[in-house]
Every structure is written in structure tokens, then in C-alpha cells.
């Protein structure tokens, strides 16, 4: 583990503070530090992501169609009905088989998006064996948690029939909050090792930042993300006594202290502003819109093709592929909304982080590093529709304006 203090922050000439400092000019100077070839590569990577979203929805629809047309879904339901007596257990069994089928049929696509494409753009040096091993763990977790969630939703549908949408939305909110609570403690350690950051200047600096912002933490963790990705990342998770500050080794070993402080302050912003409460709640509301459309359109499609597919009604789990296909299309159409929700939170955390860490140049430098996989200067509409984080330009501009408003000698 290298000592982060070894790395010095490199501020480009045109962005340095001085009597003639100009935020727009400084923003340009930061952006100019990215060579044209790198910029072209990250633009291509990010723009390709727009198509991946659309293709992903289309592939979900195709897989659903296969499961329905081959009557695999109906046969799986029949099998579950023979094997279990209680409807909840039948659905649980069906849902586990369904999740397994989706995981297997979707594997080639996941291999392309999450493995081969990441390697093609130099984002990862993970071996295929390690990647598949992690996929197997994710699939097992997905089957266990997904089957319980699906069986829960169908239990609601059996109970209140067509009035299931608000109940399911509320249950989804509870489930998402539960996942956010258990993820750092039970799930993240399955994929990475978390260790305490050794005592030293950096640890003291991060803890001081936390205490200044009322975060009850007395340890800082780092984890070995470099085995999966080259991206930098950090988070502050948990509540009260389970509060946990963590940063990944790419951030720890590859960046300077002002950059680390800028990132940690941003993450602390998410924590202090309760984003781990607001984001799951607004996400649940959005998923609720998806449920509503499923509820409205399921009957009409089932009436036309349901006999052929062996799907009885909305409470029949054999109709799950149809519900999922409708849901996937609605979620694709709502992408600008879901991105907007997260982007608002990210902008708030950026503003909070600048005030807390007071490291505008560190923040600008990190924004440039993040631009290795996020198009740096999108159009205005493009940023609104496709970005779940502010673009590199937006972030550097914010940092340079902050610097203009908080000149170093007056701080
Ligand atoms: Zn963030």
C-alpha cells in the first residue's frame, strides 16, 4: 500500500489561484488536461452505455418472450404447484427457478457488458474465472433475495387483487431500505476485503472531516476494489453505531490527499443529507409507476396470448415474465426520471463536499479522473437524460466557481 501523501495534486497552469482567476477559464484549463485520444475513448465508452440501456430492456423482453412462448414459465409453475402445497411456497419455488433461468439466459449479455467491454476499454484487469466466480455469488444472492421479494409481491396480489400497486410500492420501499442496511455489513464483504486504514495523517484528516460534520465514526476502512476495476470509489454507509467510512484502494493509492478529502467529503454529504433514505424512497415510487403500468396492461395482453402461454391471471406467477417485460420497458422510458433523482442528490453532495473539505482543486482533479469513463462535456439535454452524476464539466465548473467565491487568503 503506497502512502497517499506521496502523490502531489497537479493543478494545471490556467487553473491556479491568482489575482486574474476566472472560473470559466480555469474550467477550460482543467478540461484541457485530458488528451484528445482519451477523451474520444471515454466519450465512446459512455455513449455506448446509452445503447446498452436500450438493448438491456430489449433483451429482457426477448428472454421473457422465450419463457412464455416455450411455456417454460407455465411448466415451472406446474412443477412448483406439484412440489409445494402453500401458495407462498409455490411462488417461492417458481421465483427461484425464474431467477435462475434469467441469470443463465442473460449471462452472454452480462459477460459482454460487464466483462469483455470493461476490458476493451481498459477499465478492468480481472480474470474471466474471477469474474464468473463473482457472478455465481451474485446469482445465488439474487435467487435467494429475489425469490423472497417476488413471493412477497405475489402474496400481496393474492390478498388485494387489482389493488396491489400501492401495497407493493410500500413493500418495495421497505425492502430497498433493508437492502441498504444489510449491504455494507453482509453483502459487500463477500466480494471485497475491508481493512482498517492504518493510523496516520490521512486517517486523522478523514476522521476530522467526519467529526466536523457530525458523523459518528472512529474508524476508516479501505477495500481491494482494484481486483475488479480501475475506478475510484468510496462510501459512508450505515446508521448510528453501524456507520462506516470506506474508500477503495484505487482512490487510496492512486490519488493525492486533497483528492481523497474531496471525495470523502462528497460521500459524507450523501450521509448527512440522508440520501440513503431519500433515494430508495423515490426509487420505490418510480418502481410503483412500473407496477401501475403492469397492472393496467397485463390483463389486455393476457387476454390475447394468455391461453397459449398457460398464464391464468395477474396472481399466477407463470405470468411473471410478461410482468417483467412490461416493467423493463417502462423503466427504460423512465430513465431520465431515475437519473434525474440520483443526479439531484449527487449535485447536493458535490456542493456539500466543497464546503466541507474546501478542496476545489482536489475535487476538480477527481472530476477529471472520473471522466475516464464518463463523457466529460455532454450537451445540456444529453446530461439531463443520460447522466446519473453531474458531468466532468459541470463538476469542475462548480469547483472553480466555489474557489472564486472562497479565495484562499480569506479562508
Ligand atoms: Zn455521490
Amino acid at each position: 500500500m503506497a502512502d497517499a501523501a506521496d502523490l502531489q495534486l497537479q493543478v494545471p497552469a490556467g487553473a491556479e489561484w491568482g489575482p486574474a482567476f476566472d472560473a470559466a477559464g480555469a474550467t477550460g484549463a482543467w478540461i484541457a488536461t485530458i488528451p484528445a485520444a482519451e477523451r474520444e475513448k471515454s466519450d465512446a465508452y459512455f455513449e455506448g452505455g446509452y445503447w446498452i440501456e436500450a438493448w438491456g430492456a430489449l433483451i429482457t423482453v426477448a428472454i421473457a418472450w422465450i419463457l412464455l412462448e416455450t411455456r417454460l414459465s407455465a411448466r415451472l409453475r406446474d412443477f412448483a404447484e406439484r412440489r409445494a402445497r402453500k401458495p407462498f411456497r409455490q411462488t417461492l419455488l417458481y421465483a427461484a427457478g425464474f431467477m435462475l433461468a434469467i441469470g443463465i439466459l442473460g449471462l452472454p449479455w452480462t459477460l459482454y457488458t460487464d466483462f469483455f467491454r470493461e476490458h476493451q476499454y481498459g477499465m478492468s484487469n480481472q480474470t474471466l474465472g474471477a469474474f464468473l466466480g463473482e457472478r455465481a455469488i451474485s446469482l445465488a444472492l439474487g435467487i435467494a433475495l429475489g425469490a423472497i421479494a417476488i413471493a412477497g409481491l405475489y402474496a400481496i396480489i393474492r390478498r388485494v387483487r387489482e389493488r396491489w400497486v400501492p401495497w407493493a410500492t410500500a413493500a418495495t420501499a421497505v425492502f430497498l431500505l433493508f437492502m441498504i442496511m444489510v449491504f455494507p455489513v453482509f453483502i459487500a464483504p463477500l466480494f471485497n476485503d475491508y481493512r482498517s486504514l492504518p493510523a496516520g495523517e490521512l486517517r486523522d484528516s478523514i476522521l476530522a472531516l467526519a467529526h466536523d460534520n457530525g458523523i459518528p465514526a472512529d474508524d476508516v476502512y479501505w477495500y481491494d476494489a482494484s481486483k475488479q476495476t480501475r475506478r475510484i470509489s468510496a462510501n459512508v454507509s450505515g446508521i448510528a453505531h453501524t456507520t462506516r467510512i470506506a474508500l477503495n484502494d484505487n482512490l487510496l493509492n492512486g490519488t493525492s490527499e486533497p483528492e481523497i478529502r474531496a471525495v470523502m467529503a462528497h460521500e459524507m454529504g450523501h450521509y448527512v443529507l440522508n440520501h440513503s433514505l431519500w433515494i430508495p424512497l423515490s426509487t420505490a415510487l418510480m418502481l410503483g409507476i412500473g407496477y401501475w403500468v403492469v397492472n393496467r396492461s397485463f390483463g389486455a395482453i393476457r387476454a390475447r396470448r394468455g391461453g397459449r402461454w398457460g398464464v391464468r391471471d395477474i396472481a399466477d406467477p407463470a405470468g411473471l415474465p410478461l410482468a417483467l417485460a412490461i416493467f423493463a420497458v417502462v423503466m427504460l422510458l423512465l430513465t431520465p426520471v431515475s437519473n434525474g433523482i440520483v443526479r439531484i442528490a449527487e449535485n447536493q453532495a458535490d456542493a456539500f463536499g466543497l464546503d466541507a473539505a474546501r478542496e476545489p482543486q482536489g475535487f476538480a482533479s477527481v472530476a477529471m479522473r472520473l471522466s475516464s469513463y464518463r463523457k466529460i462535456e455532454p450537451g445540456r439535454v444529453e446530461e439531463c437524460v443520460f447522466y446519473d452524476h453531474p458531468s466532468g464539466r459541470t463538476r469542475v465548473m462548480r469547483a472553480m466557481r466555489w474557489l472564486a467565491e472562497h479565495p484562499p487568503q480569506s479562508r
Side-chain angles (χ1 to χ4, degrees):
M1 195 171 67
D3 188 349
D6 295 349
L7 284 159
Q8 291 296 313
L9 176 65
Q10 307 285 336
V11 179
E16 267 160 2
W17 175 257
F21 182 83
D22 153 56
T27 303
W30 269 111
I31 291 177
T33 59
I34 309 289
E38 267 181 46
R39 216 172 127 147
E40 253 169 53
K41 193 171 120 185
S42 74
D43 284 4
Y45 176 77
F46 197 76
E47 286 166 5
Y50 308 161
W51 290 102
I52 284 182
E53 290 295 314
W55 277 108
L58 203 67
I59 285 168
T60 303
V61 171
I63 291 175
W65 188 80
I66 291 170
L67 292 175
L68 292 167
E69 280 289 317
T70 58
R71 289 180 69 104
L72 259 174
S73 182
R75 276 186 269 175
L76 182 59
R77 182 232 19 236
D78 294 344
F79 170 80
E81 284 181 349
R82 282 197 302 274
R83 274 308 174 88
R85 193 178 299 197
K86 293 200 169 134
F88 185 83
R89 291 201 185 155
Q90 291 171 353
T91 324
L92 205 58
L93 203 54
Y94 170 90
F98 173 81
M99 298 292 295
L100 181 65
I102 296 266
I104 293 169
L105 292 170
L107 184 62
W109 176 244
T110 310
L111 264 178
Y112 167 66
T113 58
D114 293 9
F115 184 80
F116 291 111
R117 188 167 184 266
E118 291 296 294
H119 279 72
Q120 183 191 335
Y121 282 96
M123 297 290 174
S124 168
N125 41 24
Q126 193 174 30
T127 63
L128 184 59
F131 176 82
L132 289 173
E134 287 183 359
R135 286 303 307 167
I137 300 174
S138 308
L139 183 63
L141 271 174
I143 289 174
L145 292 166
I148 293 170
I150 290 167
L153 287 180
Y154 275 94
I156 293 173
I157 298 177
R158 278 196 305 276
R159 201 137 211 205
V160 298
R161 304 300 296 184
E162 272 68 31
R163 288 173 290 117
W164 62 278
V165 174
W167 295 101
T169 306
T172 302
V174 172
F175 182 76
L176 292 178
L177 289 170
F178 169 76
M179 287 307 297
I180 282 192
M181 271 167 60
V182 301
F183 184 85
V185 187
F186 295 104
I187 300 180
L190 297 176
F191 298 93
N192 292 97
D193 281 336
Y194 285 74
R195 295 193 191 121
S196 284
L197 194 65
E201 215 176 289
L202 180 64
R203 183 176 176 276
D204 292 347
S205 166
I206 293 172
L207 283 177
L209 205 51
H211 296 156
D212 286 349
N213 291 289
I215 297 171
D218 34 42
D219 213 348
V220 179
Y221 295 87
W222 69 277
Y223 59 100
D224 54 349
S226 60
K227 67 176 186 177
Q228 290 126 345
T229 180
R230 297 218 169 112
R231 298 175 192 213
I232 55 176
S233 186
N235 61 76
V236 177
S237 57
I239 41 169
H241 291 292
T242 68
T243 301
R244 194 166 200 189
I245 299 175
L247 67 160
N248 78 9
D249 56 348
N250 297 324
L251 177 64
L252 179 62
N253 299 329
T255 73
S256 62
E257 191 175 336
E259 291 171 281
I260 296 176
R261 283 172 47 80
V263 172
M264 297 322 286
H266 167 100
E267 299 302 331
M268 289 174 195
H270 283 308
Y271 180 90
V272 171
L273 300 168
N274 289 318
H275 288 161
S276 57
L277 183 65
W278 292 116
I279 293 195
L281 288 181
S282 31
T283 303
L285 272 181
M286 224 191 51
L287 300 179
I289 298 173
Y291 296 160
W292 182 79
V293 178
V294 168
N295 198 34
R296 293 284 305 219
S297 50
F298 186 95
I301 303 174
R302 197 212 65 85
R304 291 177 61 180
R305 319 271 303 185
R308 179 179 169 151
W309 293 336
V311 174
R312 299 166 194 148
D313 60 9
I314 186 108
D316 177 7
L320 184 57
L322 173 58
L324 177 69
I326 301 168
F327 190 76
V329 172
V330 178
M331 286 304 120
L332 177 68
L333 297 176
L334 286 177
T335 304
V337 182
S338 54
N339 281 342
I341 291 170
V342 178
R343 206 175 55 246
I344 289 169
E346 292 299 336
N347 270 307
Q348 289 174 345
D350 281 356
F352 182 98
L354 280 168
D355 287 336
R358 309 180 80 79
E359 299 281 6
Q361 303 289 18
F363 186 78
S365 178
V366 165
M368 291 303 100
R369 290 182 193 275
L370 296 175
S371 296
S372 66
Y373 57 83
R374 192 177 289 129
K375 186 177 177 180
I376 196 164
E377 280 187 294
R380 202 176 274 262
V381 176
E382 189 180 16
E383 186 158 352
C384 267
V385 172
F386 294 113
Y387 279 61
D388 64 353
H389 280 67
S391 68
R393 161 171 274 283
T394 302
R395 289 185 135 165
V396 174
M397 194 69 197
R398 181 192 284 280
M400 294 302 103
R401 283 196 184 130
W402 189 94
L403 180 54
E405 286 160 15
H406 303 80
Q409 59 270 34
S410 73
R411 276 191 235 161

